[in-house]
Amino acid sequence: MMYIKLISGFLILFSAFMGARHGWSRLNFKPGDTTPIAELQRTLNLSADTLKVFSIATILGGLLLLPPQTFLAGNILNICLFVFLIIRFLIAGDIKHALIEIPFLLIPVVLIFLKHPLSPNI
């Protein structure tokens, strides 16, 4: 039981950190950038407003994972964001990046199964 809580806690911290990091980098994206993230954003072909909403939702999804009360909502939001990314990559014809997103899509599913380590009903 203790190992499950440790794994769940690690995955929550990892997901929250990555959500904040990727959301922040996308939020600061400039059209003329030449970084790898900029190339991915051009592949997705998102408008500037859509990219800002997506970035804020990514940060919010990571932050919602931290308290047990919003844990499920954060995971559902993250699942929706990953499905959105996969669909956008498939629309763009970029199957490689769509397949790369699948393991990250599974993290929120595993977290829902493992539950929050501070939740009283484990």
Side-chain angles (χ1 to χ4, degrees):
M1 190 62 116
M2 183 64 174
Y3 293 117
I4 292 174
K5 287 186 178 189
L6 286 173
I7 292 169
S8 177
F10 172 75
L11 284 175
I12 289 170
L13 292 176
F14 173 77
S15 295
F17 172 75
M18 293 306 285
R21 180 173 166 235
H22 285 179
W24 187 255
S25 67
R26 286 186 186 119
L27 201 57
N28 294 319
F29 170 73
K30 305 287 185 259
D33 287 348
T34 58
T35 62
I37 288 181
E39 293 300 320
L40 285 176
Q41 299 309 333
R42 281 190 271 286
T43 301
L44 293 174
N45 196 23
L46 298 174
S47 70
D49 292 335
T50 305
L51 185 59
K52 286 190 189 302
V53 169
F54 185 79
S55 301
I56 291 168
T58 303
I59 294 169
L60 182 65
L63 293 177
L64 288 173
L65 293 176
L66 298 174
Q69 298 85 355
T70 59
F71 177 72
L72 182 61
N75 279 310
I76 291 172
L77 178 59
N78 285 335
I79 289 170
C80 292
L81 293 171
F82 283 120
V83 168
F84 174 78
L85 271 179
I86 290 169
I87 290 170
R88 291 300 299 185
F89 279 128
L90 291 175
I91 288 171
D94 193 349
I95 296 172
K96 176 186 170 193
H97 282 104
L99 292 174
I100 289 172
E101 293 296 325
I102 291 175
F104 297 106
L105 171 66
L106 295 177
I107 290 175
V109 174
V110 169
L111 278 173
I112 291 171
F113 175 74
L114 292 176
K115 299 184 179 143
H116 197 286
L118 301 178
S119 177
N121 57 355
I122 289 184

